[in-house]
Amino acid sequence: MRNKWLIGGLIVSVIANLLLIGFVVGRLAGHPPMGPGGDPTMGYMRHLRALPEARREEVMPIVRGHMHGVWGDVRGIRRDQRALLDAIVAEPFDADALSAALERLQGRLTEAQSKSHAAFVAVVTKLTPEEREALADAMRRPPRKPPRP
């Protein structure tokens, strides 16, 4: 019985140490630049906060109008993610069911991204050349780290 507690304690200790090391390395490394597979339009709305309030009031209804349809997609994406996880752990395992779940998820993600890109184009169309330049500059910079307490 004592050996089981020692082994359990050792496992918990190793896991805790690995988590701590991962946290420290992650904090020290910061955010790497976006790789070739990333979508640079992701999170562009936060960059729009830099616009003067009057311009934000003109642009944000366009964003809200286009993005309204995306929220339904988010529910579907979550449902498809759960189906994917269920297919992974299903017994007996069915590779065809897993492939079908992945295909459904990919289709839903692509549809949501297309809607997001349409909103992006509609918003950028309304920006002045200076505002477009500022948006592009903001999108080139890696995300800032949150301030440390």
Side-chain angles (χ1 to χ4, degrees), residues 45 64 66-76 78 115:
M45 288 180 279
R64 283 191 287 275
H66 276 83
M67 297 305 287
H68 182 70
V70 173
W71 299 121
D73 292 336
V74 170
R75 285 189 294 275
R78 288 188 180 133
K115 289 178 183 177

Side-chain angles (χ1 to χ4, degrees), residues 12-135:
V12 169
S13 175
V14 168
I15 291 171
N17 283 313
L18 289 173
L19 287 172
L20 180 62
I21 290 168
F23 175 76
V24 169
V25 168
R27 294 290 285 185
L28 293 175
H31 296 283
M34 185 177 300
D39 183 354
T41 66
M42 195 80 152
Y44 73 91
M45 288 180 279
R46 78 174 172 276
H47 299 303
L48 296 177
R49 290 187 215 138
L51 291 173
E53 187 174 341
R55 289 294 290 145
R56 267 197 323 269
E57 289 175 4
E58 292 175 37
V59 172
M60 288 313 285
I62 299 167
V63 174
R64 283 191 287 275
H66 276 83
M67 297 305 287
H68 182 70
V70 173
W71 299 121
D73 292 336
V74 170
R75 285 189 294 275
I77 289 168
R78 288 188 180 133
R79 193 172 41 251
D80 290 344
Q81 288 171 333
R82 283 191 299 275
L84 174 72
L85 296 174
D86 290 344
I88 290 171
V89 298
E91 285 298 333
F93 176 73
D94 183 351
D96 290 335
L98 177 59
S99 292
L102 280 167
E103 210 168 296
R104 281 191 305 274
L105 177 60
Q106 180 183 24
R108 183 127 23 212
L109 289 169
T110 300
E111 184 179 331
Q113 188 177 38
S114 293
K115 289 178 183 177
S116 176
H117 287 175
F120 180 74
V121 170
V123 167
V124 173
T125 300
K126 298 294 184 186
L127 299 179
T128 66
E130 294 80 18
E131 291 168 340
R132 290 195 314 270
E133 183 68 36
L135 176 63

